[in-house]
Amino acid sequence: MALESGDHVWYWNGRTSQNKDIPRAEWFPDSNPNDPNDYQGNGADIYNYVFYDDQIAVGQPQMRRGLGSFAWLNNNPGNITGVAGGPDFGQYPNKFNWHNFLIFPTWQAGFDALAAYLRQGSYPSLSILQGLRKYAPAGDGGNLPDQYAAQVAAALGVPVDTLIGDLSDQQMLAMQNKIMEIEGVIPGQVLPYDSADIPAEISQLLA
């Protein structure tokens, strides 16, 4: 099946995978199954491609401080996650990258989605501290939600026990910007569809 907007592909050494995770067991069968970051020394050669209507975003989000973080690749500055059939925040329907990160057609759509996400469900009735404990729970990728909440509250100039539902639009904008900063938006490479830098194996998937 040909690739379409909102799809992603992992690429390494002529191999491709549309799995959400890097297929370590297949590509690196001798890697330690208990170490999710064991790529047998090949981490720097693995790339994540995300496809949009008029361009391809390329990054190495599996690398610490690697160019092209997930937040940037997916036009998802808040690293919002979702499930198939979940709420519509303007993302590509049922398209997910690693960790069920949603993929948005534009950067503005992803940025606006962050406010919509925090204005729905139980979030308005939660304090900033409670909300960030839910948004970025401890133990999920090394999150430190209490520290996260303190940084967000400081950026807004309010206590951590302030209800999210009581935030003004201006305060919500400040919260979006601080979350974006904390999540780590690191630009990668943007390629046009006629670029000679697209690996042949990915060009075949695009045909």
Side-chain angles (χ1 to χ4, degrees):
M1 181 178 70
L3 296 172
E4 59 185 25
S5 295
D7 283 336
H8 80 279
V9 170
W10 288 104
Y11 176 81
W12 170 71
N13 194 30
R15 303 186 185 192
T16 62
S17 173
Q18 290 180 258
N19 293 345
K20 283 184 288 187
D21 296 327
I22 296 171
R24 291 192 308 124
E26 176 186 347
W27 289 358
F28 316 115
D30 295 328
S31 62
N32 181 353
N34 297 317
D35 180 359
N37 298 312
D38 181 10
Y39 304 116
Q40 296 285 281
N42 295 286
D45 299 314
I46 301 171
Y47 293 85
N48 187 276
Y49 289 73
V50 181
F51 303 89
Y52 294 96
D53 289 350
D54 57 355
Q55 63 185 26
I56 305 170
V58 187
Q60 294 183 291
Q62 76 283 356
M63 299 294 291
R64 181 172 299 217
R65 300 184 183 85
L67 297 181
S69 63
F70 282 116
W72 179 85
L73 281 165
N74 301 326
N75 279 333
N76 185 353
N79 277 332
I80 301 172
T81 61
V83 295
D88 180 7
F89 297 109
Q91 73 271 21
Y92 287 111
N94 299 323
K95 301 291 187 182
F96 306 96
N97 211 326
W98 178 84
H99 204 60
N100 282 336
F101 289 138
L102 301 181
I103 302 172
F104 292 88
T106 66
W107 183 259
Q108 189 63 51
F111 186 77
D112 292 344
L114 182 51
Y117 186 83
L118 294 171
R119 293 288 197 199
Q120 57 85 47
S122 63
Y123 281 102
S125 64
L126 300 177
S127 68
I128 292 174
L129 178 58
Q130 293 168 328
L132 269 300
R133 286 175 175 173
K134 178 181 179 181
Y135 186 89
D140 183 5
N143 289 328
L144 300 171
D146 289 17
Q147 178 179 317
Y148 201 142
Q151 292 175 329
V152 168
L156 274 59
V158 299
V160 293
D161 60 358
T162 302
L163 293 181
I164 292 175
D166 288 343
L167 298 178
S168 67
D169 289 344
Q170 185 175 3
Q171 289 172 320
M172 177 57 73
L173 179 61
M175 187 172 187
Q176 290 169 261
N177 282 319
K178 191 61 180 180
I179 287 175
M180 177 173 65
E181 176 188 326
I182 294 171
E183 290 295 327
V185 179
I186 304 173
Q189 184 179 16
V190 174
L191 298 176
Y193 276 92
D194 60 357
S195 172
D197 293 330
I198 300 173
E201 294 81 6
I202 289 181
S203 294
Q204 291 172 4
L205 294 176
L206 290 167

